[in-house]
Amino acid sequence: MLVLDEKQQILEVNSALSVLLGLPSTLLLNQSFSQFILPEDRPVFDRYCQRLAEFKEPQICELRLEKKDSAPLWMHVAATLVPVAGGPPECHLVFGDFTAFMQREKSLERLYVMLAQVNHAIVHYRESHELYRAICRIAVKHGKFRMAWVGLVDGPGGQLKPVAHDGHEDGYLQCVHININPGSAFSQGPIGQAFLKNQVVASTESDPAFQQSPWRHEMLKHNFRAVAAVPFHLNNAVIGTLILFAETPYAFSEEELHLLRQIGSAVSFALECIEIESRRQRAELALRESEAQNRAFIHAIPDLIFRNSRDGRYLDVHAPDPRLLAAPREAILHHKIEEFLPKRVATRCLQAIAAALDTRTLQELIYTLMIAGRKRRFEARIAPCTADTVLTIVRDITELEKNGK
């Protein structure tokens, strides 16, 4: 409770309010009450006093009071004018502290915004290191954390190696070494335990988990009064942790922990997508290299090469010497064997194609064709390619047979 005179000077203050403001009552007396109100809320209090004087009826409002070295106090204020014999009335104010409720609401609001921004970053960034940096920036800018950093495990039984950070780092990451070995003293704090237990761990400076951290003094030195560690996964294994530091000894609620778990799940999902895309790109590159190699092999072969369907249709043609073809390549493509080869030769080829596909074995045949008015001998090797196509390699053996080879 507080009693003010007509100039808003403090006449009386009870011990409860002096404790909230962090000052003894003797230092509060005869002080202007407005100096303890957050500057943005002072116009609100002035209008409040004007209504009280105008209507002479009890008034209520909400104010934020400034407290040294602490976050503002949210107060529900009820005021009444009390007549004083022989003088102006006094203003009696009764305060209700709902700071904890507002802190919780503001924290939830920031975490919801942070989660939305993280989801946006997941869509935008395609590299994990870019995503880590973005998440740290989001945590500081939208989550209002004093500092945020991401640590990845560095080898089996090793340490969490910082890979990104934002906020008031001030050399902190050079001083601490978070071990993930369960038997190590350097893994007993909230950060190491979050990784080892695969769960969000949050604690304030008064919690046992915080007290057990070997880096407690460094955290307090950097004004880190509360910490939340959020593990994330890749391929069903914890690979790192997002660490968030607050400058007030704030205890996270279950709803806030749930939002932090959602943030961890979103990061894990993003890493899985990045890994899938990376594997796809590697496979695509390997396929392109394989195709280039196959093309190089084919171009180095001097023989005719055909790809045929079961019914003898030409699906592809490779002809280093087009003069050996029964017709131009463009005329052959997508047409059937019997349209260009003599019936007897075409029948043998179709039988060999069917046998290659049915038995999944290599088939060979030798035949004679008239090419440009000259009789030529060919050797064909027909191998199954896919379920319904074969690869046929045709070699001109005319000169070989002449020479008896």
Side-chain angles (χ1 to χ4, degrees):
M1 179 177 176
L2 193 68
V3 178
L4 304 179
D5 64 15
E6 76 279 7
K7 296 180 179 180
Q8 298 182 6
Q9 302 288 319
I10 299 175
L11 299 177
E12 296 180 29
V13 57
N14 66 359
S15 59
L17 186 59
S18 66
V19 169
L20 282 175
L21 293 175
L23 293 171
S25 57
T26 53
L27 293 181
L28 293 172
L29 294 177
N30 301 316
Q31 298 293 318
S32 172
F33 176 59
S34 64
Q35 68 179 297
F36 300 103
I37 302 174
L38 205 67
E40 299 93 311
D41 288 2
R42 289 171 188 171
V44 175
F45 185 68
D46 290 339
R47 291 193 297 270
Y48 176 72
C49 293
Q50 290 173 3
R51 289 198 303 271
L52 185 64
E54 180 181 353
F55 296 107
K56 303 295 189 298
E57 293 179 352
Q59 301 291 321
I60 58 174
C61 74
E62 294 176 357
L63 292 175
R64 288 171 293 173
L65 302 184
E66 289 190 295
K67 183 177 180 180
K68 187 177 180 180
D69 300 327
S70 179
L73 301 172
W74 289 81
M75 294 291 179
H76 180 85
V77 184
T80 305
L81 285 179
V82 177
V84 176
E90 295 175 343
C91 180
H92 288 213
L93 297 94
V94 178
F95 295 86
D97 182 9
F98 66 107
T99 303
F101 172 80
M102 289 304 298
Q103 285 179 337
R104 191 78 64 208
E105 289 297 303
K106 293 294 183 182
S107 177
L108 282 172
E109 180 182 317
R110 292 193 296 267
L111 287 176
Y112 274 114
V113 173
M114 182 177 167
L115 176 59
Q117 291 295 321
V118 167
N119 285 328
H120 177 75
I122 288 171
V123 175
H124 183 72
Y125 293 101
R126 293 292 182 268
E127 299 291 338
S128 57
H129 62 278
E130 294 178 342
L131 180 63
Y132 295 143
R133 289 197 293 265
I135 290 171
C136 290
R137 288 195 301 269
I138 290 167
V140 172
K141 180 178 179 180
H142 299 284
K144 304 302 180 184
F145 289 98
R146 182 169 176 80
M147 200 267 277
W149 66 282
V150 169
L152 297 182
V153 62
D154 186 19
Q159 297 179 342
L160 282 184
K161 179 182 178 181
V163 295
H165 71 271
D166 201 85
H168 297 274
E169 189 270 337
D170 301 325
Y172 171 81
L173 294 176
Q174 298 176 4
C175 301
V176 301
H177 306 282
I178 308 300
N179 198 294
I180 59 166
N181 187 328
S184 171
F186 299 111
S187 68
Q188 302 309 305
I191 301 173
Q193 290 300 298
F195 186 97
L196 292 171
K197 294 180 179 179
N198 186 22
Q199 64 183 33
V200 174
V201 175
S203 65
T204 68
E205 59 184 355
S206 60
D207 294 337
F210 196 103
Q211 297 289 334
Q212 291 175 10
S213 172
W215 314 114
R216 173 179 175 273
H217 294 294
E218 280 297 330
M219 287 192 283
L220 294 178
K221 176 182 174 181
H222 288 79
N223 200 26
F224 301 153
R225 314 286 296 282
V227 58
V230 184
F232 49 85
H233 319 81
L234 180 62
N235 298 326
N236 298 318
V238 182
I239 64 164
T241 308
L242 168 65
I243 299 96
L244 308 167
F245 289 115
E247 59 186 349
T248 58
Y250 182 76
F252 291 86
S253 68
E254 182 53 42
E255 188 174 0
E256 290 166 302
L257 293 177
H258 175 69
L259 285 173
L260 291 175
R261 285 191 286 270
Q262 286 188 288
I263 290 172
S265 297
V267 175
S268 301
F269 173 75
L271 294 178
E272 294 286 351
C273 291
I274 291 172
E275 177 65 16
I276 291 172
E277 176 62 16
S278 178
R279 288 199 298 265
R280 186 195 66 78
Q281 290 179 356
R282 290 195 298 269
E284 190 176 86
L285 177 60
L287 179 61
R288 287 200 299 268
E289 291 177 348
S290 176
E291 289 176 343
Q293 186 180 58
N294 290 338
R295 283 194 298 269
F297 282 144
I298 290 173
H299 289 310
I301 297 174
D303 303 321
L304 300 174
I305 302 177
F306 305 99
R307 188 165 64 92
N308 298 93
S309 61
R310 180 181 283 271
D311 62 0
R313 192 178 302 275
Y314 290 102
L315 303 177
D316 204 352
V317 176
H318 168 71
D321 186 355
R323 293 174 301 176
L324 296 178
L325 291 174
R329 180 181 183 277
E330 294 72 19
I332 292 175
L333 273 175
H334 309 302
H335 291 271
K336 294 182 179 181
I337 288 175
E338 57 263 33
E339 296 180 49
F340 304 97
L341 301 183
K343 183 176 181 181
R344 182 175 58 83
V345 175
T347 300
R348 291 178 62 198
C349 290
L350 288 172
Q351 290 172 346
I353 290 173
L357 291 173
D358 293 339
T359 64
R360 309 306 294 177
T361 59
L362 178 68
Q363 304 294 311
E364 298 181 13
L365 68 153
I366 295 175
Y367 55 89
T368 303
L369 291 179
M370 292 296 295
I371 304 293
R374 181 183 174 189
K375 184 182 294 186
R376 306 191 77 95
R377 293 280 284 174
F378 293 96
E379 177 188 69
R381 296 190 175 196
I382 303 174
C385 184
T386 66
D388 293 306
T389 64
V390 297
L391 197 66
T392 303
I393 299 177
V394 178
R395 175 170 296 181
D396 181 6
I397 60 173
T398 306
E399 297 302 322
L400 291 175
E401 288 193 343
K402 280 184 179 180
N403 297 328
K405 295 182 181 180

